[in-house]
């Protein structure tokens, strides 16, 4: 039995209530039914081995979709063979497991291959109202479709494969209301980076976020994905938005979306997926989009971020001793001096890629900035499209030619230099303007330094060779 | 899973905020299809010098804290990537429990699934504990899960809270999948109704 809850419910309550098989205690634990999972080559092997050792089967294999994305090379010429023996073993073991357990797999040569959180929406594999769990922290991305997605570890993947469920503890609810129009040159990346900067890297730990407000409503579905994707960098275990007509239009003709009469029924049901008007959230935050400026990180945690026209902060001005020590450590690692203007930071690399910002709209934004310009001589600039389909579309639209002409490497799809598990790795001391999600120490390579920002801002930095307010580049916006 | 009941040992301070799973287990150790060798990868860039020698400044390399069974951690420990390799590495190094003011959600669950106890205390308490165990001669503590107590070298006792469900799973070393599959009929019944209401699923 579901315990008595107020009649007015949040979107989160509705998702959890409708997926609760049974409650397990009076402290919020439930057995939660999971509609879909996406599987990659690096967090799944031990889960499949566990099933094999216990002689267990996969409960509902058609609800899982596997893709190679984390370890594959992104060199422009795509081949099945991998030079890296560890990655090759993970890829072949994934293929074995998918074969044995009847799970569909997109391998590197598949036209539908790409980063898991890019291809799953692209395929219409994720639908409003679903609850999704997957072995990757950025599973929160699916919130943009009105689905509740969250990351899990390998033991949980095994549990999910075996039972279609997880032992789950209900989260508290946080509503983030963003109001006002975004100025030219600003993107949804700046919105989420500003939020993370405001509430901190653990500011939403223990919470599920629902985003709402006029700014969110005005964003495209892809732009919303960036926000939900990076909400995990504030500690949120899930972040979503009520699905609207934009979401339905986005999904309508996707390969796996329901068709015909079933589609009509589905949309009619999805229209009820919103928080009740008088639903009470555990916490509320308001953000005014009109106050925002393009954001960049200067430190080694995603919350160590400022507006581009600011300067590197001074640790000695921080009262809290832990924060002060963290900031000192971050600035030492990043090789930055307090007080230095952020726009004076010279980069060696520019990277546009990742599940956060490598969809077609991101590439269009970046192309608009670089068209007719050239990458600075001292910068190596790379574009790694979020999926093979995005790559194909960018080629068809002429964006690939814009990037190549400007001196960017135009590569194949994968997670690539976001976490550098493949051969796209920075060297110690390299400094990268990056459209990714994490600026952790060593994330893009041991000793390498990452500055997070929007794809348009990465494009601007690639052209000038230093962190740059994209709005100052003539003809960009 | 090995039960966690009552464990005594040294506790090592690791009080910086936001220690992420990339730092706990760097990318080059994620290329296996089993759990082997992750003790080597644990905190690799902090623990070893470029020469491969142990870094003398790293806490777990210092004589007073070698073989520590507990880490006393700063806020948001384990943030970032979902990689369970971080917890497997901690376990292989002999870490039985982590005590801190907050843990990242996925990491927290991964610890639970591997029988590694995570204890959440208020920040001031973590500071008190961190200060005490930063002294070599008072680094020894005892964690009693049954009694929900941390016993310090100076005789003080710090009680802690934990959900009964988590506590029992750890005390008994329960196989979570086995327990869930005992509810097979319930899951099937739920599924039938759920798919009937949402036939596109």
């Amino acid at each position: 039995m579901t315990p008595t809850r107020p009649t007015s419910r949040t979107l989160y309550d509705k998702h959890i209530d409708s997926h609760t098989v049974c409650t397990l205690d009076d402290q919020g634990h439930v057995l939660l039914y999971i509609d879909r999972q996406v599987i990659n080559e690096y967090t799944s092997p031990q889960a499949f081995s566990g099933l094999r050792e216990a002689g267990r089967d996969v409960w509902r294999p058609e609800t899982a979709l596997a893709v190679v994305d984390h370890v594959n090379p992104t060199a422009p010429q795509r081949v099945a063979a991998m030079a890296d023996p560890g990655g090759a073993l993970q890829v072949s073991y994934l293929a074995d497991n998918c074969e044995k357990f009847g799970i569909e797999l997109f391998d590197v040569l598949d036209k539908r291959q790409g980063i898991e959180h890019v291809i799953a929406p692209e395929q219409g594999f994720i639908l409003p109202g679903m609850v999704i769990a997957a072995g990757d922290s950025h599973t929160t991305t699916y919130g943009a479709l009105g689905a509740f997605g969250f990351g899990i570890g390998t033991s949980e993947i095994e549990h999910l494969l075996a039972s279609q469920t997880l032992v789950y503890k209900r989260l508290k609810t946080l509503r983030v209301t963003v109001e006002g129009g975004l100025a030219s040159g600003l993107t949804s990346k700046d919105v989420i980076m500003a939020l993370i900067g405001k509430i901190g890297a653990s500011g939403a730990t223990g919470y599920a976020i629902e985003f709402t407000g006029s700014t969110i409503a005005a964003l495209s579905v892809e732009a919303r994905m960036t926000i939900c994707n990076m909400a995990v960098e504030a500690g949120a275990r899930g972040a979503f938005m009520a699905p609207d007509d934009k979401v339905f239009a986005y999904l309508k003709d996707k390969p796996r979306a329901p068709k015909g009469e079933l589609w009509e029924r589905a949309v009619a049901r999805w229209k009820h997926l919103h928080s009740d008007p008088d639903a009470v959230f555990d916490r509320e935050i308001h953000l005014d989009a009109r106050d925002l400026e393009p954001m960049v990180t200067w430190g080694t945690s995603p919350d160590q971020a400022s507006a581009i026209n600011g300067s590197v902060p001074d640790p000695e001005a921080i009262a809290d001793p832990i924060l002060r020590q963290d900031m000192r450590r971050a600035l030492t690692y990043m090789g930055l001096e307090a007080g230095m203007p952020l726009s004076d930071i010279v980069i060696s690399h520019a990277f546009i890629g990742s599940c956060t910002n490598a969809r077609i709209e991101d590439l269009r934004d970046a192309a608009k900035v670089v068209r007719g310009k050239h990458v600075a001589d001292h910068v190596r600039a790379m574009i790694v499209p979020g999926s093979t389909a995005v790559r194909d579309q960018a080629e068809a639209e002429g964006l690939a030619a814009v990037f190549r002409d400007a001196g960017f490497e135009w590569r194949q799809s994968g997670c690539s230099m976001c976490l550098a598990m493949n051969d796209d790795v920075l060297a110690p001391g390299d400094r990268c303007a990056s459209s990714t999600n994490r600026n952790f120490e060593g994330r893009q390579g041991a000793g390498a330094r990452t500055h997070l920002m929007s794809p348009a801002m990465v494009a601007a930095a690639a052209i000038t060779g230093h962190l740059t307010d994209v709005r100052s580049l003539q003809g960009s916006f | 899973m090995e039960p966690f009941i009552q464990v005594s040992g040294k506790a090592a301070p690791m009080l910086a905020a936001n220690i992420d799973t990339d730092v706990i287990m760097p990318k080059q150790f994620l290329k296996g299809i089993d759990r082997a060798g992750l003790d080597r990868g644990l905190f690799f860039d902090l623990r070893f010098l470029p020469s491969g020698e142990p870094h003398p400044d790293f806490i777990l390399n210092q004589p007073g804290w070698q073989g520590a069974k507990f880490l006393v951690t700063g806020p948001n420990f384990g943030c970032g990537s979902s990689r369970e390799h971080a917890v497997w590495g901690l376990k292989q190094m002999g870490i039985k429990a982590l005590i801190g003011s907050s843990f990242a959600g996925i990491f927290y669950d991964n610890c639970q699934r591997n029988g590694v106890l995570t204890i959440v205390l208020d920040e001031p308490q973590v500071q008190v504990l961190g200060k005490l165990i930063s002294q070599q001669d008072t680094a020894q503590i005892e964690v009693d899960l049954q009694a929900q107590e941390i016993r310090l070298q100076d005789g003080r006792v710090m009680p802690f809270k934990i959900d009964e469900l988590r506590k029992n799973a750890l005390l008994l070393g329960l196989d979570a999948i086995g327990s869930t599959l005992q509810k097979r009929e319930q899951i099937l019944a739920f599924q039938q109704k759920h798919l009937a209401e949402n036939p596109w699923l």
Side-chain angles (χ1 to χ4, degrees):
Chain A
M1 276 297 292
T2 308
T4 315
R5 298 197 160 271
T7 44
S8 293
R9 294 181 302 159
T10 65
L11 183 59
Y12 176 74
D13 294 328
K14 292 182 183 182
H15 272 73
I16 301 306
D17 290 348
S18 64
H19 287 76
T20 295
V21 174
C22 58
T23 54
L24 298 173
D25 63 13
D26 56 4
Q27 290 169 313
H29 286 97
V30 299
L31 191 63
L32 190 70
Y33 188 87
I34 307 295
D35 296 308
R36 294 284 185 274
Q37 72 165 315
V38 186
I39 290 172
N40 66 52
E41 72 280 18
Y42 111 85
T43 61
S44 70
Q46 299 84 354
F48 283 115
S49 295
L51 291 182
R52 287 170 183 260
E53 284 157 22
R56 288 177 176 138
D57 224 337
V58 172
W59 183 279
R60 217 178 143 217
E62 67 274 25
T63 62
L65 178 63
V67 64
V68 174
D69 59 0
H70 280 71
V71 304
N72 59 282
T74 61
Q77 282 307 316
R78 184 139 262 187
V79 290
M82 279 183 52
D84 166 25
L89 182 62
Q90 289 183 329
V91 170
S92 70
Y93 192 50
L94 180 64
D96 272 3
N97 286 323
C98 288
E99 173 77 30
K100 176 177 164 61
F101 292 103
I103 293 170
E104 188 177 7
L105 168 68
F106 297 169
D107 66 20
V108 282
L109 297 180
D110 195 303
K111 293 295 275 181
R112 300 164 296 178
Q113 182 272 348
I115 305 172
E116 55 185 293
H117 309 309
V118 178
I119 62 126
E122 230 168 53
Q123 289 298 316
F125 187 66
I126 309 295
L127 300 172
M130 283 183 174
V131 174
I132 299 113
D136 190 283
S137 55
H138 292 110
T139 306
T140 53
T141 310
Y142 307 137
L145 297 171
F148 189 74
F150 58 97
I152 54 175
T154 303
S155 297
E156 301 270 55
I157 297 173
E158 184 181 341
H159 191 285
L160 173 51
L161 285 168
S163 71
Q164 204 67 29
T165 64
L166 291 172
V167 175
Y168 180 83
K169 186 170 182 177
R170 268 180 186 269
L171 300 165
K172 291 178 283 185
T173 53
L174 164 60
R175 177 160 60 188
V176 176
T177 307
V178 193
E179 297 286 359
L182 274 178
S184 178
L186 276 94
T187 70
S188 64
K189 181 69 160 279
D190 301 300
V191 174
I192 188 64
M193 286 181 67
L195 177 71
I196 297 164
K198 183 182 163 104
I199 67 175
S202 57
T205 299
Y207 288 90
I209 300 181
E210 182 180 338
F211 287 95
T212 184
S214 61
T215 316
I216 305 297
L219 291 172
S220 71
V221 173
E222 289 194 359
R224 296 174 190 174
M225 286 185 201
T226 302
I227 290 184
C228 292
N229 173 285
M230 261 191 97
V232 70
E233 313 310 336
R237 195 72 194 279
F240 61 170
M241 296 145 181
D244 60 4
D245 288 343
K246 284 185 183 176
V247 170
F248 308 144
Y250 172 92
L251 285 170
K252 187 157 191 341
D253 296 313
K254 295 280 186 275
R256 291 162 204 238
K259 302 284 184 288
E261 185 261 341
L262 201 56
W263 168 261
E264 301 302 328
R265 279 174 65 194
V267 171
R269 194 166 170 93
W270 296 338
K271 285 186 170 166
H272 296 285
L273 289 170
H274 51 75
S275 291
D276 295 328
D278 48 354
V280 177
F281 290 76
D282 294 304
R283 201 172 142 207
E284 300 260 8
I285 290 176
H286 293 266
L287 208 60
D288 191 337
R290 288 160 295 204
D291 296 341
L292 300 182
E293 295 203 60
M295 300 291 292
V296 295
T297 60
W298 45 261
T300 54
S301 173
D303 57 352
Q304 292 177 322
S306 301
I308 178 65
N309 294 314
S311 45
V312 177
D314 184 359
E316 306 318 313
I318 304 293
D320 183 290
I322 294 181
L323 286 179
R324 182 165 64 235
Q325 190 52 35
D326 273 357
M327 196 186 276
R328 280 193 196 129
R329 183 187 163 90
L331 294 188
T332 303
Y333 181 86
M334 294 299 289
L336 297 174
E337 297 288 334
M340 176 182 183
L342 291 168
S343 56
D344 281 359
I345 296 173
V346 175
I347 61 164
S348 59
H349 289 73
F351 177 74
I352 295 177
S354 85
C355 57
T356 308
N357 274 130
R359 297 180 178 82
I360 191 69
E361 290 176 10
D362 299 318
L363 301 192
R364 286 180 194 142
D365 267 5
K368 206 155 71 169
V369 176
V370 307
R371 190 183 297 274
K373 301 188 182 71
H374 203 276
V375 170
D377 287 344
H378 65 276
V379 173
R380 180 181 171 198
M382 296 163 61
I383 308 226
V384 173
S387 70
T388 305
V390 167
R391 183 182 149 92
D392 290 347
Q393 190 174 347
E395 291 190 341
E397 291 183 16
L399 306 180
V402 171
F403 291 126
R404 283 201 199 95
D405 291 348
F408 281 84
E409 293 174 32
W410 176 247
R411 301 179 70 90
Q412 296 282 350
S413 179
C415 300
S416 180
M417 203 182 270
C418 175
L419 82 168
M421 267 191 81
N422 70 347
D423 50 347
D424 301 328
V425 186
L426 294 177
D430 284 348
R431 188 182 293 280
C432 186
S434 187
S435 75
T436 56
N437 42 59
R438 289 184 178 137
N439 51 341
F440 297 159
E441 285 184 24
R443 173 82 175 177
Q444 295 190 296
R449 293 152 172 170
T450 304
H451 295 276
L452 303 177
M453 61 197 79
S454 73
M457 285 287 287
V458 175
I463 300 298
T464 63
H466 57 87
L467 303 193
T468 298
D469 186 340
V470 65
R471 298 170 299 180
S472 70
L473 274 190
Q474 213 175 7
S476 296
F477 280 93
Chain B
M1 204 168 71
E2 192 189 334
F4 186 112
I5 299 166
Q6 185 177 327
V7 179
S8 299
K10 291 178 210 168
M14 208 165 273
L15 294 161
N18 304 324
I19 293 183
D20 59 75
T21 54
D22 274 75
V23 166
I24 301 172
M25 189 60 65
K27 57 189 101 295
Q28 64 269 37
F29 298 95
L30 307 178
K31 292 289 185 67
I33 60 168
D34 55 21
R35 295 171 176 81
L38 292 169
D39 46 349
R40 170 79 184 160
L42 189 73
F43 297 115
F44 188 81
D45 294 332
L46 303 175
R47 223 170 105 206
F48 297 102
L49 294 164
S51 64
E53 294 294 306
H55 197 306
D57 293 346
F58 186 65
I59 188 75
L60 296 175
N61 291 335
Q62 294 176 12
W65 293 273
Q66 277 175 13
K69 289 184 180 166
F70 308 104
L71 295 180
V72 178
T73 55
N76 204 26
F77 188 86
C79 61
S81 159
S82 64
R83 58 188 72 167
E84 197 163 317
H85 308 69
V87 177
W88 297 332
L90 286 165
K91 204 174 159 182
Q92 287 172 24
M93 273 289 282
I95 301 296
K96 305 287 187 197
L98 298 109
I99 307 164
S101 59
S102 67
F103 297 93
I106 305 175
F107 177 83
Y108 184 87
D109 286 349
N110 287 342
C111 284
Q112 175 73 19
R113 299 292 169 250
N114 285 277
V116 175
L117 171 63
T118 40
I119 299 174
V120 177
L121 298 178
D122 294 341
E123 185 63 41
Q125 280 186 296
V126 175
Q127 290 303 323
V128 168
L129 179 61
K131 204 168 170 184
L132 193 77
I133 57 112
S134 294
Q135 302 299 320
Q136 199 173 318
D137 51 352
T138 50
Q140 186 81 15
I141 62 170
E142 181 175 65
V143 175
D144 185 337
L145 178 56
Q146 187 67 60
Q148 295 181 214
E149 283 177 358
I150 305 167
R151 299 183 190 117
L152 312 182
Q153 191 85 353
D154 63 5
R156 273 184 292 179
V157 172
M158 287 182 167
F160 63 87
K161 289 185 186 147
I162 182 170
D163 290 343
E164 281 300 310
L165 188 101
R166 291 186 57 221
K167 179 178 176 178
N168 286 332
L170 290 165
L171 284 172
L172 301 171
L174 285 180
D175 165 25
I177 300 176
S179 306
T180 295
L181 287 177
Q182 288 176 6
K183 301 189 176 72
R184 182 179 193 88
E185 295 310 316
Q186 247 180 303
I187 300 170
L188 280 171
F190 174 88
Q191 180 171 282
Q192 195 176 23
K193 181 171 147 283
H194 186 59
L195 297 186
E197 287 170 2
N198 305 274
W200 46 89
L201 296 178

